[in-house]
Amino acid sequence: MLSNVPDYKLGIICCVPAAYNAEGRLSCNHGIGRLLDVMRAMVPGAKLCVPVLPEWKPYMIHAVDFPREDIVALPPLESVARSQTHFFKTRRIVRRFARSCDVVFVRLPFQVPMAVAGLRTPKLLHVVGNAYKVIAASSNYHGIMKKLALRFAAHSNATIRRMVHEPMTRTATNGSEMWDLLGCRDGRVVVSSCIYKDEMRPRQDLALGDPPRLLFVGFLRPEKGIDNLLDAFEAIRSKRPLKLTLVGGTDNVTNVERLAHQRIENSPFRDDITLTGLVEFGEPLFDLYRNHDVFVLPSLSEGTPRTLVEARAFGCPAVATRAGGIPSSLEDGRTGLMVEPNDSVGLAAAIERLLDDEPLRMHLISEGLKASEEHTLEYFTGQLVEELNTLAEQKRTTGTAGAV
């Protein structure tokens, strides 16, 4: 997508926690890690400013391709509440980092939003989701703590909305929901991906399994709608043979994984449900997509889930909720089926429709494969870099200083 190698100093400010692994390499989750590596390949010499935790965690499976001298450590911004104690230090580090760059890329939401507000360095804001909806769906907050968390999430969204309209700022949002909510003007709506084009090798045998197999892939967080999926599965399984595989663990403190285990243990169809835990990103996960018949994403809140891109790329048609940025990623009736969030009855009906209507299933597989060609990691990152290039060119034209 890029005709020339960019020659500006890029700084990446990322809110996803990382840690050094046993080999001394900085590691984070695969989704952001792959994006960081491709962005640095497209903009050579890019530097990274990221929260660094004292201990490595199992979900940090991707070692980023950044030398240690190009990594600036932020305090351990893991939970939002504890992160506030690091506000002044975080703000100081972020501003010093931004001063050293021509253009910065800022991934949002950020644990301490005011720490990244007001940067005068030209910047691209990448907004990946709606913090307010995530908190609203969460089962980890109750009473006054829920109210406080929602107030903070509203504050975070309001801060981002102000940042969007700061000078020399462009925005890329995962899906159109946040673009409209924030009143964005300069930038674009994107669909996130972390799968390379040459990894997209779909299943060859498209026949429906006997019994059919449903698949969910994602962190077991409250906003993922796991209860609705289990309700829908049990409703269908009471009428016909069916299997369900839940792939994922948790990347933060949550009670959802424990509740999912309890719910499965008490299900009359527990022998037909498999909870795998975390699965290595790559062929072990790709084979799961190839070996299942329907991918189900029952989320209550989302950006543009990378799993939808992955499912289509491996020939697994999707049923998903009309939540967040999902409508920007999936076209109802062409590349998947959509239902309303929190509607287990509608979810079950859509799954059964896909199992019973062979021409529809084949149509969704065919169109999904076509759509996946424009949803590769290279294409997604290229869109972000095009926005960064626009900012760099504006800076060269106007002579904007990099002070903060």
Side-chain angles (χ1 to χ4, degrees), residues 285-358:
L285 178 61
F286 301 162
D287 276 342
L288 284 171
Y289 285 116
R290 295 186 188 106
N291 294 328
H292 285 76
D293 300 298
V294 180
F295 178 73
V296 188
L297 190 65
S299 298
L300 309 180
S301 174
E302 280 288 358
T304 52
R306 296 183 294 264
T307 52
L308 283 176
V309 173
E310 293 159 14
R312 293 195 297 262
F314 296 108
C316 189
V319 175
T321 48
R322 194 175 279 103
I326 288 177
S328 297
S329 175
L330 186 149
E331 184 179 341
D332 189 28
R334 188 179 79 85
T335 60
L337 297 182
M338 280 195 292
V339 300
E340 295 304 316
N342 257 329
D343 181 6
S344 59
V345 174
L347 188 65
I351 294 169
E352 285 203 278
R353 180 185 172 197
L354 203 48
L355 296 178
D356 293 335
D357 190 335
E358 183 73 1

Side-chain angles (χ1 to χ4, degrees), residues 2 6-14 35-49 66 69-72 97-107 121-125 381 384-392 395-396:
L2 304 174
D7 60 354
Y8 51 87
K9 296 177 182 177
L10 172 64
I12 302 170
I13 302 171
C14 178
L35 171 63
L36 294 175
D37 283 348
V38 177
M39 188 170 286
R40 181 177 166 90
M42 290 185 174
V43 188
K47 297 185 177 182
L48 176 63
C49 183
F66 282 69
E69 62 268 22
D70 287 343
I71 299 170
V72 174
F97 180 78
R99 279 196 296 269
S100 71
C101 305
D102 296 318
V103 179
V104 290
F105 172 87
V106 185
R107 192 174 190 271
T121 304
K123 60 187 178 295
L124 172 65
L125 307 177
T381 312
L384 299 177
V385 172
E386 284 180 351
E387 293 296 328
L388 293 167
N389 290 348
T390 298
L391 285 165
K395 179 180 180 179
R396 280 191 287 265

Side-chain angles (χ1 to χ4, degrees), residues 26-94:
L26 189 73
S27 302
C28 59
N29 78 57
H30 69 274
I32 187 64
R34 284 181 160 215
L35 171 63
L36 294 175
D37 283 348
V38 177
M39 188 170 286
R40 181 177 166 90
M42 290 185 174
V43 188
K47 297 185 177 182
L48 176 63
C49 183
V50 62
V52 178
L53 307 187
E55 295 183 0
W56 178 88
K57 295 183 181 295
Y59 68 85
M60 298 175 177
I61 61 175
H62 184 96
V64 297
D65 192 21
F66 282 69
R68 192 178 283 255
E69 62 268 22
D70 287 343
I71 299 170
V72 174
L74 288 171
L77 308 177
E78 192 167 11
S79 77
V80 172
R82 289 195 297 270
S83 295
Q84 306 317 305
T85 63
H86 300 294
F87 170 77
F88 291 106
K89 184 176 182 179
T90 300
R91 186 175 185 272
R92 185 169 61 252
I93 294 172
V94 164

Side-chain angles (χ1 to χ4, degrees), residues 228-301:
N228 290 325
L229 173 55
L230 291 171
D231 286 343
F233 169 77
E234 290 178 350
I236 301 171
R237 178 62 187 84
S238 66
K239 299 182 289 184
R240 63 197 295 174
L242 192 65
K243 298 283 188 180
L244 170 64
T245 303
L246 301 171
V247 177
T250 180
D251 63 341
N252 52 26
V253 178
T254 173
N255 60 4
V256 174
E257 190 167 18
R258 175 179 57 82
L259 293 175
H261 279 281
Q262 291 178 353
R263 171 74 186 272
I264 292 169
E265 184 62 29
N266 294 329
S267 173
F269 308 111
R270 59 182 176 272
D271 291 341
D272 294 310
I273 304 173
T274 300
L275 209 164
T276 68
L278 291 170
V279 172
E280 180 184 351
F281 188 81
E283 284 303 317
L285 178 61
F286 301 162
D287 276 342
L288 284 171
Y289 285 116
R290 295 186 188 106
N291 294 328
H292 285 76
D293 300 298
V294 180
F295 178 73
V296 188
L297 190 65
S299 298
L300 309 180
S301 174

